[in-house]
Amino acid sequence: MESFEKARLDAFFRRVTERFPDPEPVSSVIITHLLAERPAFLHAMARLTHVAAVLPKPKSIFESAAAEARKHFTLDLLSRARFADPAAALNYLEETSAGRDLLILDIGGYFAVGLEAICAQFSGRIRGVIEDTENGLQRYLALDKLPCPVYSVARSPLKEPEDHLVGHSIVFSTEALIRSRGDILGSLDACVIGYGKLGNSIARMLHAKNVRVTIYDDDPVKRVHARSHGFHVLNTRAEAIRGCGLIVCATGNLALKHENFTALPNGAYIASVTSSEDELELTALAPLYRRTEVGPHLSRYSTTGHYFYVLADGNAVNFLHGATVGPYIHLVQAEILAVTALLSSDDHAPGLHELSPDARQIIAEIWLDYFKR
């Protein structure tokens, strides 16, 4: 970012936080995509909280951003395995924030499994969790009872522009990788698994490129929505992927399991919108398929009589080409800052929360003033 852009972003974040209550001293643990603009957001969080640790999503780390962040923050390793054990998750928070009031900013529900134990046994106090993604929110909602406030940013209207543009970015990167093998996107029939906001955007973008799109979603209501939008819809995953040369996985919850891969047609391409551990059961293929690198970010899985390609090792393809959505990302970041101020200034009841419509309107008005004059 240019210096004047950083100054404008810093002023925007300051003006947003000024409209919300002054926070009390709290600590924060932040999971984030460490993209080029993200240090500015981390500095804004540091004005509201003591940032105890930053856990970058491993497949979305820009080295320039990481280098800048390391000057000011502790960067730790993030993986599902690391926090799958509630005791390990609790120990980590004790190591970073023992005895403190603590906020957890999550992207993907990493702390959901251990949340009950964390809230019951942490030596400090968990003031709340802020979750940025739909698949992460689903992990928290799967708990029998939320033991602390969980604020959802995932379903915010302020996130819709980001979701729409991320869908465009995913199709752009998918097409670039397919072209690297001499194939043309328009020659492939596509299946989009998952018809949430991202799946909807991806499907529309593929359709705009003259690709025939089939939709599958576990939720019959979303299948109805897809059908009403003019897409071909099938009622089983196996039917939907049969004969499709491109499968885009947009569920965040194992779109393709071990048994689904055998139904793929030869030469099919698989793209994901999130990390491989969340979307694809690739580890189960090791005994049966041989994995070969056939180009940058392109792997061929083959066995006798069958082969297919996986893009970006099954991770979010859009991060290969910057994944930028322009200043719209700052709407979501501003909402996170507003929620941080609210959670750290007052007690909130356990359960699911969202920022009020009035507060979102304030953020939107400030954003328009700073970025769309």
Side-chain angles (χ1 to χ4, degrees), residues 156-271:
S156 170
L158 295 180
K159 199 175 193 312
E160 290 179 9
E162 177 193 348
D163 290 330
H164 175 70
L165 291 171
V166 168
H168 283 234
S169 181
I170 288 162
V171 173
F172 173 89
S173 294
T174 298
E175 183 173 22
L177 292 177
I178 290 173
R179 280 182 175 271
S180 73
R181 285 207 46 87
D183 285 331
I184 302 298
L185 184 64
S187 68
L188 304 174
D189 288 347
C191 172
V192 177
I193 303 178
Y195 198 69
K197 289 180 287 186
L198 272 182
N200 179 301
S201 176
I202 292 164
R204 290 177 183 273
M205 188 63 181
L206 288 170
H207 177 71
K209 290 180 171 287
N210 299 314
V211 176
R212 182 177 181 270
V213 181
T214 295
I215 302 295
Y216 173 74
D217 195 294
D218 286 339
D219 185 347
V221 174
K222 290 182 178 176
R223 295 203 298 272
V224 169
H225 291 170
R227 185 177 178 84
S228 74
H229 297 157
F231 292 111
H232 184 227
V233 177
L234 289 171
N235 293 330
T236 70
R237 196 181 315 254
E239 288 179 309
I241 64 178
R242 188 176 296 122
C244 287
L246 170 64
I247 295 88
V248 184
C249 302
T251 69
N253 188 24
L254 285 183
L256 291 179
K257 298 181 180 179
H258 171 251
E259 63 271 16
N260 301 130
F261 290 98
T262 58
L264 297 172
N266 278 326
Y269 294 94
I270 300 171

Side-chain angles (χ1 to χ4, degrees), residues 91-332:
N91 288 340
Y92 176 77
L93 297 181
E94 292 289 0
E95 291 170 2
T96 58
S97 308
R100 301 290 301 270
D101 279 14
L102 180 66
L103 297 176
I104 298 173
L105 173 53
D106 206 347
I107 297 181
Y110 284 84
F111 285 96
V113 172
L115 188 62
E116 185 175 357
I118 289 168
C119 289
Q121 301 174 40
F122 180 54
S123 63
R125 179 172 58 146
I126 303 299
R127 296 292 290 260
V129 175
I130 306 170
E131 174 55 55
D132 186 38
T133 66
E134 180 62 30
N135 76 72
L137 179 60
Q138 291 298 329
R139 292 174 188 270
Y140 284 105
L141 294 180
L143 301 176
D144 291 335
K145 185 179 180 181
L146 291 173
C148 71
V150 174
Y151 262 86
S152 165
V153 180
R155 297 175 180 176
S156 170
L158 295 180
K159 199 175 193 312
E160 290 179 9
E162 177 193 348
D163 290 330
H164 175 70
L165 291 171
V166 168
H168 283 234
S169 181
I170 288 162
V171 173
F172 173 89
S173 294
T174 298
E175 183 173 22
L177 292 177
I178 290 173
R179 280 182 175 271
S180 73
R181 285 207 46 87
D183 285 331
I184 302 298
L185 184 64
S187 68
L188 304 174
D189 288 347
C191 172
V192 177
I193 303 178
Y195 198 69
K197 289 180 287 186
L198 272 182
N200 179 301
S201 176
I202 292 164
R204 290 177 183 273
M205 188 63 181
L206 288 170
H207 177 71
K209 290 180 171 287
N210 299 314
V211 176
R212 182 177 181 270
V213 181
T214 295
I215 302 295
Y216 173 74
D217 195 294
D218 286 339
D219 185 347
V221 174
K222 290 182 178 176
R223 295 203 298 272
V224 169
H225 291 170
R227 185 177 178 84
S228 74
H229 297 157
F231 292 111
H232 184 227
V233 177
L234 289 171
N235 293 330
T236 70
R237 196 181 315 254
E239 288 179 309
I241 64 178
R242 188 176 296 122
C244 287
L246 170 64
I247 295 88
V248 184
C249 302
T251 69
N253 188 24
L254 285 183
L256 291 179
K257 298 181 180 179
H258 171 251
E259 63 271 16
N260 301 130
F261 290 98
T262 58
L264 297 172
N266 278 326
Y269 294 94
I270 300 171
S272 172
V273 308
T274 186
S275 61
S276 58
E277 60 189 357
D278 292 336
E279 202 70 270
L280 305 172
E281 203 170 42
L282 293 175
T283 55
L285 300 180
L288 298 175
Y289 284 81
R290 182 165 62 96
R291 179 182 176 276
T292 308
E293 293 289 335
V294 295
H297 311 297
L298 196 60
S299 304
R300 187 179 192 265
Y301 284 75
S302 60
T303 189
T304 303
H306 190 225
Y307 71 98
F308 55 87
Y309 299 98
V310 175
L311 310 183
D313 289 328
N315 295 298
V317 293
N318 52 314
F319 289 116
L320 298 178
H321 300 98
T324 181
V325 295
Y328 293 100
I329 187 64
H330 305 319
L331 287 163
V332 180

Side-chain angles (χ1 to χ4, degrees), residues 9-11 13-14 17 23 40 42-49 51 337:
L9 181 56
D10 182 68
F13 285 151
R14 286 182 182 277
T17 55
L42 294 176
H43 288 304
M45 285 292 294
R47 288 196 295 270
L48 298 177
T49 69
V51 178
L337 292 171

